[in-house]
Amino acid sequence: MSKDVLKPGDPEKGRVVFMNRCFQCHTVEKGGKHKTGPNLHGLIGRPTGQSPGFSYTDANKSKGITWTRDTLFVYLLNPKKYIPGTKMVFAGLKSADDRSDLIAYLESSTK
C-alpha cells in the first residue's frame, strides 16, 4: 500500500486515470468546451473558480487558493471536503499514486 504522499507521477498512467475518471465531465485542450465541469486548460497556477465562461458555485469562487500540485493532491482525495459547497459530484481518488499520476498528466496536458 502506498503512503499518501505526492510523487512525481507518470503522465501516461495519469492519462488513463483521466480518461476513466475525469473525461466524462472535463476537457483539457486549449479552447476545449466546458462539460458538466470546466475545461481544465491553464489549471495549474489558476485560482479556484476562474475558468472563463464556466458557472462556478460561490464556494469554488471564494475558496481563495491557487491550483498547484499540492492543492490538487489534497482536493482530488475528497473534493467536497476540500471545497464544501462545490457542485462537483466526483467522490475523489483514494490512491496517492493515481492522484500523483493524474496531476502529472494535468501538468503536461493543460499548459
Side-chain angles (χ1 to χ4, degrees):
M1 185 163 111
S2 66
K3 294 187 187 240
D4 199 43
V5 175
L6 178 59
K7 299 174 185 170
D10 179 332
E12 187 53 35
K13 288 180 181 176
R15 185 186 71 75
V16 173
V17 173
F18 182 84
M19 295 307 291
N20 289 330
R21 305 293 299 275
C22 312
F23 179 74
Q24 178 179 336
C25 296
H26 294 282
T27 58
V28 294
E29 65 276 353
K30 185 175 184 177
K33 292 184 177 184
H34 297 306
K35 293 181 173 182
T36 303
N39 170 271
L40 300 177
H41 191 268
L43 174 70
I44 306 296
R46 183 171 65 212
T48 54
Q50 301 298 316
S51 184
F54 186 77
S55 177
Y56 288 95
T57 62
D58 288 340
N60 277 82
K61 290 188 268 186
S62 65
K63 177 65 176 176
I65 61 107
T66 298
W67 293 121
T68 65
R69 288 177 49 80
D70 292 329
T71 56
L72 281 168
F73 189 74
V74 176
Y75 175 75
L76 290 168
L77 176 62
N78 188 338
K80 287 189 177 292
K81 181 177 178 185
Y82 192 71
I83 302 180
T86 184
K87 63 183 173 183
M88 186 163 157
V89 296
F90 181 62
L93 292 170
K94 303 309 175 212
S95 165
D97 290 342
D98 284 352
R99 283 181 280 143
S100 295
D101 292 340
L102 177 58
I103 291 165
Y105 171 72
L106 290 173
E107 283 181 307
S108 66
S109 66
T110 64
K111 292 183 195 183

XYZ file of all heavy atoms in Angstrom:
862
model
N 0.838 -1.183 0.000
C 0.000 0.000 0.000
C 0.882 1.245 0.000
O 1.813 1.359 0.777
C -0.894 -0.027 1.241
C -1.881 1.105 1.283
S -3.192 0.725 2.457
C -2.817 1.909 3.712
N 0.596 2.180 -0.907
C 1.424 3.385 -0.989
C 1.011 4.383 0.091
O -0.145 4.439 0.494
C 1.287 4.019 -2.372
O -0.021 4.502 -2.557
N 1.989 5.138 0.552
C 1.689 6.185 1.532
C 1.010 7.343 0.823
O 1.139 7.510 -0.377
C 2.985 6.645 2.194
C 3.622 5.564 3.031
C 4.795 6.123 3.794
C 5.493 4.968 4.460
N 5.562 5.015 5.848
N 0.283 8.145 1.558
C -0.448 9.263 0.976
C 0.497 10.456 0.798
O 0.415 11.443 1.514
C -1.641 9.618 1.871
C -2.666 10.430 1.120
O -2.965 10.091 -0.042
O -3.154 11.414 1.687
N 1.401 10.310 -0.179
C 2.418 11.322 -0.440
C 2.420 11.640 -1.934
O 2.355 10.725 -2.764
C 3.816 10.804 -0.017
C 4.905 11.767 -0.390
C 3.841 10.506 1.478
N 2.494 12.916 -2.271
C 2.581 13.337 -3.663
C 3.937 12.944 -4.226
O 4.972 13.240 -3.637
C 2.383 14.845 -3.762
C 2.498 15.470 -5.139
C 1.476 14.882 -6.109
C 2.334 16.979 -5.042
N 3.925 12.254 -5.364
C 5.134 11.804 -6.047
C 5.202 12.485 -7.411
O 4.225 13.099 -7.838
C 5.093 10.286 -6.219
C 5.030 9.540 -4.909
C 4.835 8.061 -5.154
C 4.649 7.345 -3.820
N 4.233 5.964 -3.987
N 6.318 12.339 -8.126
C 6.395 12.953 -9.459
C 5.278 12.486 -10.410
O 4.743 13.269 -11.167
C 7.773 12.543 -9.972
C 8.581 12.366 -8.729
C 7.611 11.790 -7.716
N 4.928 11.228 -10.347
C 3.822 10.729 -11.162
C 4.213 10.422 -12.598
O 5.196 10.931 -13.120
N 3.418 9.584 -13.227
C 3.611 9.151 -14.604
C 2.470 9.726 -15.448
O 1.313 9.311 -15.283
C 3.605 7.616 -14.655
C 3.773 7.050 -16.044
O 3.383 7.705 -17.028
O 4.295 5.921 -16.140
N 2.775 10.682 -16.352
C 1.705 11.304 -17.137
C 0.884 10.326 -17.978
O -0.316 10.522 -18.153
C 2.441 12.295 -18.045
C 3.781 12.477 -17.455
C 4.083 11.256 -16.649
N 1.517 9.261 -18.484
C 0.765 8.301 -19.299
C -0.234 7.525 -18.433
O -1.373 7.311 -18.831
C 1.706 7.349 -20.028
C 1.007 6.449 -21.016
C 0.113 7.167 -22.036
O 0.434 8.284 -22.472
O -0.939 6.602 -22.383
N 0.190 7.121 -17.245
C -0.757 6.476 -16.324
C -1.840 7.474 -15.922
O -3.006 7.119 -15.767
C -0.029 5.958 -15.083
C 0.826 4.742 -15.339
C 1.507 4.282 -14.062
C 2.395 3.071 -14.299
N 3.121 2.700 -13.074
N -1.455 8.738 -15.756
C -2.414 9.780 -15.417
C -3.440 10.020 -16.514
O -4.602 10.311 -16.236
N -3.016 9.866 -17.776
C -3.952 9.998 -18.903
C -5.027 8.916 -18.811
O -6.211 9.178 -19.038
C -3.220 9.894 -20.242
C -4.133 10.151 -21.433
C -3.426 9.892 -22.752
N -3.206 8.473 -22.962
C -4.156 7.595 -23.324
N -5.399 7.997 -23.501
N -3.866 6.329 -23.497
N -4.616 7.711 -18.423
C -5.575 6.614 -18.262
C -6.560 6.937 -17.129
O -7.768 6.748 -17.270
C -4.846 5.272 -18.020
C -5.832 4.167 -17.680
C -3.999 4.900 -19.246
N -6.043 7.451 -16.014
C -6.919 7.846 -14.899
C -7.895 8.918 -15.381
O -9.098 8.851 -15.120
C -6.098 8.356 -13.687
C -7.019 8.917 -12.610
C -5.223 7.247 -13.117
N -7.368 9.917 -16.109
C -8.221 10.996 -16.611
C -9.328 10.445 -17.511
O -10.497 10.801 -17.353
C -7.393 12.039 -17.370
C -8.222 13.197 -17.859
C -8.494 14.260 -17.024
C -8.763 13.197 -19.136
C -9.288 15.322 -17.455
C -9.553 14.242 -19.579
C -9.816 15.311 -18.739
N -8.959 9.584 -18.445
C -9.946 9.047 -19.383
C -11.006 8.203 -18.661
O -12.175 8.226 -19.043
C -9.263 8.225 -20.479
C -8.347 9.051 -21.377
S -9.120 10.510 -22.121
C -10.245 9.745 -23.268
N -10.605 7.501 -17.621
C -11.539 6.647 -16.881
C -12.363 7.385 -15.838
O -13.487 6.970 -15.527
C -10.789 5.495 -16.205
C -10.280 4.481 -17.198
O -10.865 4.272 -18.253
N -9.172 3.852 -16.868
N -11.814 8.461 -15.270
C -12.470 9.085 -14.118
C -12.876 10.550 -14.318
O -13.701 11.056 -13.567
C -11.552 9.008 -12.889
C -11.082 7.600 -12.519
C -12.191 6.671 -12.039
N -12.872 7.110 -10.858
C -12.494 6.895 -9.607
N -11.391 6.206 -9.362
N -13.204 7.340 -8.595
N -12.284 11.235 -15.302
C -12.482 12.689 -15.407
C -13.070 13.152 -16.740
O -13.750 14.175 -16.796
C -11.157 13.417 -15.206
S -10.198 12.884 -13.776
N -12.766 12.410 -17.807
C -13.120 12.825 -19.159
C -14.617 13.025 -19.361
O -15.043 13.855 -20.161
C -12.577 11.802 -20.167
C -12.903 12.134 -21.591
C -12.233 13.160 -22.249
C -13.878 11.432 -22.276
C -12.534 13.482 -23.560
C -14.183 11.745 -23.592
C -13.505 12.765 -24.238
N -15.410 12.293 -18.632
C -16.861 12.426 -18.759
C -17.307 13.872 -18.482
O -18.249 14.358 -19.088
C -17.554 11.472 -17.790
C -19.061 11.567 -17.810
C -19.706 10.581 -16.848
O -19.130 9.572 -16.495
N -20.908 10.884 -16.425
N -16.593 14.567 -17.588
C -17.014 15.910 -17.169
C -16.045 17.028 -17.551
O -16.405 18.205 -17.455
C -17.205 15.948 -15.659
S -18.532 14.866 -15.081
N -14.815 16.706 -17.955
C -13.792 17.734 -18.210
C -13.073 17.526 -19.531
O -12.915 16.396 -19.990
C -12.724 17.702 -17.108
C -13.223 18.081 -15.762
N -13.458 19.378 -15.370
C -13.539 17.316 -14.684
C -13.884 19.396 -14.123
N -13.952 18.149 -13.680
N -12.597 18.632 -20.110
C -11.684 18.614 -21.243
C -10.390 19.292 -20.805
O -10.374 20.013 -19.796
C -12.275 19.350 -22.465
O -12.576 20.701 -22.088
C -13.538 18.669 -22.968
N -9.307 19.059 -21.545
C -8.012 19.643 -21.156
C -7.405 20.536 -22.234
O -6.522 21.342 -21.944
C -6.974 18.558 -20.782
C -7.386 17.825 -19.522
C -6.739 17.584 -21.921
N -7.843 20.402 -23.483
C -7.189 21.122 -24.568
C -7.539 22.610 -24.564
O -8.610 23.006 -24.103
C -7.536 20.491 -25.916
C -8.998 20.580 -26.307
C -9.858 19.476 -25.702
O -9.324 18.530 -25.075
O -11.086 19.565 -25.838
N -6.619 23.416 -25.086
C -6.855 24.852 -25.190
C -8.092 25.077 -26.043
O -8.223 24.510 -27.127
C -5.648 25.548 -25.810
C -5.781 27.044 -25.847
C -4.529 27.699 -26.351
C -4.668 29.211 -26.278
N -3.436 29.880 -26.685
N -9.009 25.880 -25.554
C -10.238 26.150 -26.283
C -11.276 25.043 -26.175
O -12.321 25.116 -26.813
N -10.981 24.015 -25.356
C -11.922 22.912 -25.183
C -13.210 23.387 -24.532
O -13.222 24.354 -23.781
N -14.281 22.682 -24.839
C -15.589 23.053 -24.298
C -15.692 22.685 -22.825
O -15.093 21.722 -22.379
C -16.692 22.338 -25.072
C -16.829 22.810 -26.487
C -17.993 22.123 -27.157
C -18.154 22.664 -28.561
N -19.320 22.122 -29.231
N -16.494 23.463 -22.135
C -16.894 23.077 -20.789
C -17.913 21.962 -20.935
O -18.714 21.959 -21.872
C -17.542 24.242 -20.039
C -16.632 25.404 -19.809
N -15.406 25.283 -19.198
C -16.769 26.717 -20.120
C -14.835 26.471 -19.118
N -15.636 27.356 -19.687
N -17.873 21.001 -20.043
C -18.894 19.954 -19.988
C -19.659 20.193 -18.687
O -19.926 21.341 -18.328
C -18.230 18.579 -20.015
C -17.527 18.236 -21.325
C -16.941 16.846 -21.238
C -16.368 16.338 -22.517
N -15.856 14.963 -22.386
N -19.957 19.144 -17.944
C -20.552 19.312 -16.620
C -19.577 20.080 -15.734
O -19.968 20.875 -14.899
C -20.862 17.938 -15.986
O -21.708 17.230 -16.871
C -21.537 18.088 -14.645
N -18.276 19.816 -15.930
C -17.205 20.533 -15.245
C -16.476 21.422 -16.232
O -16.648 21.302 -17.444
N -15.632 22.311 -15.728
C -14.938 23.258 -16.602
C -13.823 22.609 -17.429
O -13.272 21.582 -17.043
C -14.335 24.263 -15.619
C -14.122 23.470 -14.372
C -15.278 22.506 -14.325
N -13.494 23.258 -18.540
C -12.286 22.918 -19.279
C -11.116 23.214 -18.343
O -11.108 24.218 -17.638
C -12.198 23.776 -20.545
C -10.864 23.652 -21.236
O -9.937 24.403 -20.916
N -10.750 22.737 -22.148
N -10.132 22.326 -18.323
C -9.029 22.434 -17.359
C -7.759 23.067 -17.934
O -6.756 23.158 -17.228
C -8.709 21.045 -16.793
C -9.863 20.363 -16.061
C -9.463 18.964 -15.618
C -10.340 21.198 -14.885
N -7.801 23.520 -19.200
C -6.598 24.130 -19.775
C -6.195 25.347 -18.938
O -7.029 26.165 -18.578
C -6.833 24.546 -21.227
C -5.571 24.922 -21.910
N -5.106 26.205 -21.952
C -4.644 24.152 -22.523
C -3.959 26.219 -22.585
N -3.652 24.984 -22.947
N -4.918 25.440 -18.592
C -4.428 26.545 -17.772
C -4.708 26.383 -16.289
O -4.577 27.328 -15.515
N -5.081 25.175 -15.883
C -5.463 24.921 -14.487
C -4.351 25.242 -13.491
O -4.580 25.928 -12.493
C -5.876 23.454 -14.328
C -6.173 22.976 -12.913
C -7.464 23.611 -12.404
C -6.272 21.460 -12.878
N -3.138 24.726 -13.742
C -2.044 24.897 -12.790
C -1.669 26.384 -12.726
O -1.382 27.014 -13.737
C -0.812 24.056 -13.194
C -1.183 22.593 -13.400
C 0.310 24.217 -12.163
C -1.669 21.852 -12.187
N -1.737 26.933 -11.524
C -1.432 28.343 -11.317
C -2.651 29.253 -11.360
O -2.526 30.458 -11.160
N -3.816 28.692 -11.607
C -5.045 29.492 -11.674
C -5.790 29.406 -10.351
O -5.871 28.338 -9.747
C -5.928 28.961 -12.809
C -7.204 29.766 -13.005
C -7.957 29.373 -14.258
N -8.464 28.007 -14.183
C -8.586 27.210 -15.227
N -8.215 27.601 -16.428
N -9.074 25.992 -15.079
N -6.367 30.514 -9.894
C -7.196 30.460 -8.682
C -8.453 29.630 -8.917
O -8.928 29.514 -10.047
C -7.572 31.925 -8.427
C -6.588 32.731 -9.205
C -6.205 31.884 -10.383
N -9.000 29.067 -7.850
C -10.230 28.281 -7.957
C -11.355 29.129 -8.523
O -11.418 30.340 -8.302
C -10.681 27.759 -6.573
O -10.785 28.854 -5.672
C -9.739 26.719 -6.030
N -12.233 28.461 -9.273
C -13.433 29.127 -9.785
C -13.174 30.174 -10.839
O -13.937 31.131 -10.933
N -12.129 30.012 -11.661
C -11.751 31.076 -12.580
C -11.607 30.666 -14.046
O -10.986 31.381 -14.816
C -10.425 31.697 -12.127
C -10.458 32.289 -10.739
C -11.433 33.426 -10.604
O -11.515 34.291 -11.452
N -12.209 33.423 -9.531
N -12.140 29.537 -14.472
C -12.080 29.183 -15.898
C -13.144 30.006 -16.615
O -14.337 29.877 -16.319
C -12.327 27.686 -16.091
O -12.176 27.331 -17.451
N -12.728 30.876 -17.542
C -13.683 31.781 -18.195
C -14.854 31.051 -18.844
O -14.682 30.043 -19.524
C -12.832 32.480 -19.266
C -11.415 32.362 -18.777
C -11.361 31.047 -18.052
N -16.055 31.554 -18.574
C -17.251 31.017 -19.200
C -17.913 29.858 -18.471
O -18.957 29.384 -18.897
N -17.313 29.396 -17.360
C -17.932 28.306 -16.613
C -18.667 28.875 -15.404
O -18.189 29.787 -14.741
C -16.889 27.278 -16.150
C -17.516 26.071 -15.506
C -18.099 25.092 -16.291
C -17.553 25.924 -14.136
C -18.714 23.981 -15.718
C -18.152 24.823 -13.544
C -18.734 23.845 -14.339
N -19.835 28.327 -15.109
C -20.651 28.786 -13.986
C -20.278 28.010 -12.716
O -20.713 26.880 -12.524
C -22.132 28.574 -14.315
O -22.926 28.952 -13.218
N -19.449 28.628 -11.894
C -18.992 28.013 -10.647
C -19.913 28.344 -9.489
O -20.593 29.371 -9.496
C -17.600 28.544 -10.281
C -16.483 28.034 -11.143
C -16.040 28.767 -12.230
C -15.842 26.844 -10.857
C -14.984 28.317 -13.014
C -14.796 26.374 -11.628
C -14.372 27.126 -12.708
O -13.339 26.666 -13.481
N -19.862 27.513 -8.464
C -20.561 27.833 -7.211
C -19.785 28.939 -6.495
O -18.591 29.142 -6.734
C -20.625 26.609 -6.281
O -19.301 26.219 -5.932
C -21.373 25.447 -6.916
N -20.455 29.620 -5.597
C -19.777 30.630 -4.775
C -18.652 29.994 -3.967
O -17.619 30.612 -3.740
C -20.770 31.327 -3.838
C -21.699 32.266 -4.597
O -21.367 32.678 -5.725
O -22.776 32.584 -4.047
N -18.852 28.727 -3.549
C -17.821 28.030 -2.770
C -16.522 27.921 -3.568
O -15.437 28.149 -3.023
C -18.315 26.641 -2.372
N -16.613 27.585 -4.845
C -15.410 27.490 -5.676
C -14.787 28.865 -5.900
O -13.563 29.007 -5.832
C -15.727 26.860 -7.032
C -15.743 25.357 -6.978
O -16.743 24.769 -6.587
N -14.655 24.735 -7.350
N -15.620 29.846 -6.177
C -15.099 31.185 -6.470
C -14.430 31.810 -5.254
O -13.490 32.573 -5.391
C -16.223 32.092 -6.965
C -16.716 31.711 -8.355
C -17.688 32.731 -8.897
C -19.093 32.349 -8.563
N -20.104 33.209 -9.172
N -14.906 31.484 -4.064
C -14.385 32.141 -2.864
C -13.389 31.296 -2.062
O -12.954 31.720 -0.995
C -15.544 32.563 -1.960
O -16.234 31.421 -1.491
N -13.015 30.117 -2.560
C -12.095 29.239 -1.812
C -10.771 29.940 -1.509
O -10.193 29.753 -0.447
C -11.864 27.930 -2.579
C -10.868 26.983 -1.922
C -11.341 26.457 -0.587
C -10.353 25.452 -0.018
N -10.705 24.982 1.304
N -10.279 30.728 -2.455
C -9.088 31.533 -2.181
C -7.765 30.794 -2.278
O -6.788 31.206 -1.661
N -7.723 29.707 -3.030
C -6.446 29.019 -3.226
C -6.133 29.009 -4.726
O -6.993 29.235 -5.565
C -6.423 27.577 -2.661
C -7.479 26.690 -3.336
C -6.621 27.565 -1.172
C -6.870 25.709 -4.275
N -4.880 28.762 -5.030
C -4.424 28.617 -6.405
C -4.110 27.151 -6.636
O -3.526 26.496 -5.764
C -3.175 29.500 -6.641
O -3.549 30.862 -6.425
C -2.634 29.333 -8.039
N -4.508 26.639 -7.794
C -4.247 25.236 -8.108
C -2.765 24.996 -8.360
O -2.172 25.604 -9.249
C -5.057 24.786 -9.328
C -6.529 24.748 -9.078
C -7.490 25.439 -9.749
C -7.205 23.977 -8.086
N -8.732 25.141 -9.226
C -8.582 24.245 -8.200
C -6.790 23.082 -7.092
C -9.544 23.649 -7.384
C -7.745 22.506 -6.289
C -9.098 22.784 -6.434
N -2.197 24.135 -7.530
C -0.815 23.693 -7.640
C -0.819 22.175 -7.515
O -1.865 21.577 -7.229
C 0.057 24.269 -6.503
O -0.412 23.729 -5.253
C 0.015 25.796 -6.458
N 0.334 21.571 -7.671
C 0.427 20.116 -7.452
C -0.093 19.770 -6.057
O -0.852 18.822 -5.888
C 1.885 19.655 -7.600
C 2.402 19.665 -9.019
C 3.877 19.274 -9.100
N 4.213 18.061 -8.376
C 4.002 16.822 -8.821
N 3.459 16.627 -10.000
N 4.351 15.774 -8.086
N 0.332 20.526 -5.066
C -0.035 20.229 -3.676
C -1.523 20.420 -3.409
O -2.158 19.577 -2.763
C 0.780 21.089 -2.710
C 2.251 20.725 -2.708
O 2.589 19.548 -2.939
O 3.082 21.629 -2.491
N -2.108 21.532 -3.896
C -3.537 21.743 -3.639
C -4.383 20.726 -4.398
O -5.384 20.236 -3.867
C -3.978 23.181 -3.976
O -3.643 23.485 -5.337
C -3.335 24.190 -3.041
N -3.976 20.374 -5.612
C -4.712 19.350 -6.356
C -4.643 17.990 -5.676
O -5.627 17.250 -5.656
C -4.173 19.235 -7.789
C -4.641 20.312 -8.751
C -3.820 20.267 -10.038
C -6.122 20.160 -9.052
N -3.495 17.676 -5.108
C -3.325 16.382 -4.436
C -4.324 16.237 -3.286
O -4.962 15.195 -3.130
C -1.889 16.242 -3.931
C -1.556 14.877 -3.414
C -1.373 13.810 -4.282
C -1.409 14.649 -2.053
C -1.067 12.541 -3.808
C -1.102 13.387 -1.564
C -0.927 12.331 -2.454
N -4.495 17.282 -2.516
C -5.452 17.251 -1.401
C -6.882 17.274 -1.944
O -7.733 16.489 -1.511
C -5.206 18.437 -0.438
C -6.262 18.471 0.658
C -3.820 18.354 0.161
N -7.159 18.149 -2.891
C -8.501 18.282 -3.461
C -8.995 16.974 -4.066
O -10.139 16.563 -3.843
C -8.487 19.383 -4.527
C -9.776 19.549 -5.277
C -10.878 20.154 -4.683
C -9.898 19.129 -6.597
C -12.071 20.317 -5.375
C -11.085 19.292 -7.294
C -12.161 19.897 -6.689
O -13.327 20.061 -7.364
N -8.142 16.324 -4.847
C -8.560 15.118 -5.560
C -8.834 13.933 -4.634
O -9.486 12.976 -5.039
C -7.516 14.735 -6.615
C -7.441 15.691 -7.804
C -6.202 15.402 -8.641
C -8.709 15.613 -8.642
N -8.376 13.997 -3.398
C -8.702 12.954 -2.423
C -10.191 13.005 -2.077
O -10.863 11.984 -2.015
C -7.858 13.108 -1.162
C -8.171 12.129 -0.023
C -7.917 10.687 -0.459
C -7.329 12.477 1.196
N -10.717 14.220 -1.869
C -12.115 14.385 -1.469
C -12.563 15.816 -1.797
O -12.506 16.698 -0.938
C -12.258 14.102 0.027
C -13.699 14.073 0.473
O -14.583 14.635 -0.166
N -13.947 13.413 1.587
N -12.992 16.053 -3.048
C -13.349 17.415 -3.468
C -14.383 18.104 -2.583
O -14.246 19.288 -2.280
C -13.890 17.211 -4.892
C -13.191 15.983 -5.370
C -13.083 15.095 -4.152
N -15.402 17.379 -2.144
C -16.462 18.011 -1.334
C -15.964 18.407 0.061
O -16.481 19.340 0.660
C -17.678 17.102 -1.239
C -18.454 17.048 -2.542
C -19.770 16.325 -2.360
C -20.576 16.317 -3.617
N -21.071 17.613 -4.034
N -14.974 17.706 0.564
C -14.397 18.080 1.854
C -13.488 19.304 1.689
O -13.480 20.193 2.534
C -13.610 16.905 2.440
C -12.998 17.204 3.790
C -12.281 15.992 4.359
C -11.643 16.306 5.685
N -10.850 15.178 6.186
N -12.730 19.343 0.598
C -11.782 20.439 0.373
C -12.506 21.740 0.027
O -12.101 22.811 0.454
C -10.796 20.058 -0.733
C -9.615 20.984 -0.841
C -8.624 20.974 0.139
C -9.485 21.857 -1.904
C -7.539 21.816 0.049
C -8.398 22.700 -2.001
C -7.420 22.679 -1.027
O -6.337 23.520 -1.113
N -13.579 21.636 -0.760
C -14.380 22.813 -1.105
C -15.843 22.490 -0.789
O -16.611 22.095 -1.674
C -14.217 23.227 -2.586
C -12.759 23.513 -2.919
C -15.088 24.460 -2.892
C -12.508 23.921 -4.371
N -16.244 22.641 0.474
C -17.649 22.404 0.825
C -18.549 23.324 0.004
O -18.278 24.515 -0.121
C -17.712 22.758 2.311
C -16.306 22.607 2.797
C -15.436 23.020 1.639
N -19.571 22.752 -0.607
C -20.479 23.535 -1.434
C -20.170 23.442 -2.920
O -20.905 24.002 -3.730
N -19.097 22.736 -3.285
C -18.815 22.554 -4.711
C -19.911 21.711 -5.343
O -20.530 20.883 -4.670
C -17.439 21.880 -4.935
O -17.175 21.820 -6.339
C -17.379 20.471 -4.372
N -20.164 21.930 -6.633
C -21.152 21.097 -7.318
C -20.502 19.873 -7.962
O -21.190 19.062 -8.564
C -21.945 21.905 -8.334
C -21.163 22.495 -9.481
C -22.089 23.326 -10.360
C -21.329 24.075 -11.426
N -22.202 24.925 -12.221
N -19.193 19.723 -7.793
C -18.517 18.560 -8.348
C -18.965 17.315 -7.584
O -18.823 17.232 -6.368
C -16.998 18.727 -8.247
C -16.225 17.629 -8.915
S -14.521 18.152 -9.172
C -13.700 16.590 -9.298
N -19.501 16.343 -8.314
C -20.053 15.151 -7.672
C -19.035 14.019 -7.561
O -19.334 12.978 -6.989
C -21.313 14.642 -8.413
C -22.421 15.672 -8.339
C -20.996 14.292 -9.852
N -17.847 14.210 -8.077
C -16.798 13.198 -8.048
C -16.411 12.884 -6.602
O -16.132 13.783 -5.812
C -15.590 13.731 -8.827
C -14.435 12.792 -8.904
C -14.556 11.562 -9.527
C -13.207 13.153 -8.386
C -13.474 10.703 -9.616
C -12.127 12.306 -8.476
C -12.260 11.077 -9.086
N -16.392 11.600 -6.258
C -16.110 11.183 -4.881
C -14.640 11.325 -4.500
O -14.312 11.395 -3.324
C -16.548 9.739 -4.678
N -13.751 11.357 -5.478
C -12.330 11.507 -5.186
C -11.537 10.265 -5.552
O -12.092 9.215 -5.876
N -10.215 10.420 -5.510
C -9.281 9.325 -5.781
C -8.545 9.007 -4.491
O -7.774 9.827 -3.998
C -8.260 9.735 -6.851
C -8.767 9.951 -8.267
C -7.676 10.576 -9.128
C -9.226 8.638 -8.858
N -8.797 7.841 -3.947
C -8.157 7.467 -2.678
C -6.677 7.137 -2.862
O -5.876 7.360 -1.960
C -8.879 6.275 -2.054
C -10.366 6.507 -1.812
C -10.652 7.784 -1.054
C -12.128 8.054 -0.931
N -12.477 9.454 -0.920
N -6.301 6.616 -4.031
C -4.921 6.198 -4.276
C -3.998 7.397 -4.497
O -4.209 8.197 -5.419
C -4.858 5.287 -5.508
O -3.533 5.150 -5.970
N -2.976 7.512 -3.663
C -1.986 8.580 -3.818
C -1.269 8.455 -5.157
O -0.945 9.464 -5.791
C -0.978 8.542 -2.670
N -1.019 7.222 -5.600
C -0.358 7.019 -6.894
C -1.244 7.517 -8.036
O -0.752 8.187 -8.956
C -0.009 5.545 -7.106
C 1.112 5.067 -6.196
O 1.865 5.903 -5.649
O 1.232 3.839 -6.018
N -2.536 7.214 -7.997
C -3.448 7.693 -9.041
C -3.499 9.217 -9.055
O -3.495 9.837 -10.122
C -4.862 7.139 -8.832
C -5.008 5.690 -9.238
O -4.068 5.110 -9.824
O -6.091 5.116 -8.958
N -3.569 9.826 -7.882
C -3.600 11.294 -7.819
C -2.294 11.890 -8.353
O -2.313 12.853 -9.119
C -3.863 11.775 -6.392
C -5.331 11.633 -6.014
C -5.620 12.138 -4.616
N -5.234 11.094 -3.669
C -4.675 11.299 -2.487
N -4.433 12.520 -2.056
N -4.367 10.281 -1.716
N -1.158 11.310 -7.975
C 0.139 11.805 -8.464
C 0.228 11.672 -9.978
O 0.693 12.593 -10.670
C 1.279 11.033 -7.796
O 1.311 11.280 -6.406
N -0.210 10.535 -10.500
C -0.178 10.319 -11.952
C -1.130 11.284 -12.666
O -0.771 11.868 -13.704
C -0.552 8.874 -12.293
C 0.486 7.864 -11.830
O 1.655 8.243 -11.589
O 0.117 6.667 -11.705
N -2.320 11.467 -12.134
C -3.283 12.381 -12.743
C -2.737 13.802 -12.758
O -2.840 14.508 -13.769
C -4.617 12.326 -11.998
C -5.696 13.292 -12.495
C -6.015 13.079 -13.967
C -6.953 13.156 -11.638
N -2.129 14.225 -11.682
C -1.558 15.568 -11.613
C -0.431 15.720 -12.634
O -0.334 16.750 -13.317
C -1.096 15.894 -10.179
C -2.320 16.028 -9.267
C -0.240 17.156 -10.139
C -2.014 15.993 -7.788
N 0.405 14.708 -12.796
C 1.466 14.747 -13.809
C 0.858 14.897 -15.205
O 1.352 15.668 -16.036
C 2.326 13.488 -13.731
N -0.229 14.172 -15.464
C -0.918 14.306 -16.748
C -1.496 15.719 -16.915
O -1.344 16.346 -17.975
C -2.027 13.265 -16.876
C -2.900 13.490 -18.077
C -2.418 13.237 -19.371
C -4.192 13.986 -17.954
C -3.199 13.468 -20.485
C -4.986 14.222 -19.072
C -4.481 13.960 -20.334
O -5.264 14.197 -21.441
N -2.149 16.228 -15.901
C -2.736 17.565 -15.995
C -1.657 18.629 -16.189
O -1.868 19.580 -16.957
C -3.565 17.873 -14.736
C -4.853 17.066 -14.600
C -5.494 17.332 -13.233
C -5.818 17.347 -15.739
N -0.528 18.468 -15.543
C 0.576 19.414 -15.739
C 1.003 19.459 -17.200
O 1.266 20.531 -17.744
C 1.779 19.043 -14.874
C 1.621 19.406 -13.428
C 2.847 19.048 -12.621
O 3.300 17.888 -12.678
O 3.363 19.964 -11.942
N 1.093 18.289 -17.822
C 1.580 18.243 -19.207
C 0.497 18.558 -20.230
O 0.793 19.088 -21.295
C 2.198 16.865 -19.506
O 1.223 15.860 -19.469
N -0.750 18.280 -19.936
C -1.814 18.418 -20.938
C -2.588 19.724 -20.869
O -3.359 20.022 -21.777
C -2.796 17.251 -20.815
O -3.482 17.324 -19.587
N -2.398 20.507 -19.815
C -3.197 21.729 -19.666
C -2.373 23.007 -19.780
O -2.867 24.088 -19.485
C -3.956 21.736 -18.310
O -2.993 21.766 -17.243
C -4.867 20.543 -18.166
N -1.123 22.877 -20.219
C -0.260 24.070 -20.366
C -0.719 24.919 -21.523
O -1.081 24.443 -22.559
C 1.196 23.655 -20.620
C 1.863 22.993 -19.469
C 3.293 22.715 -19.836
C 3.917 21.733 -18.875
N 5.284 21.475 -19.136
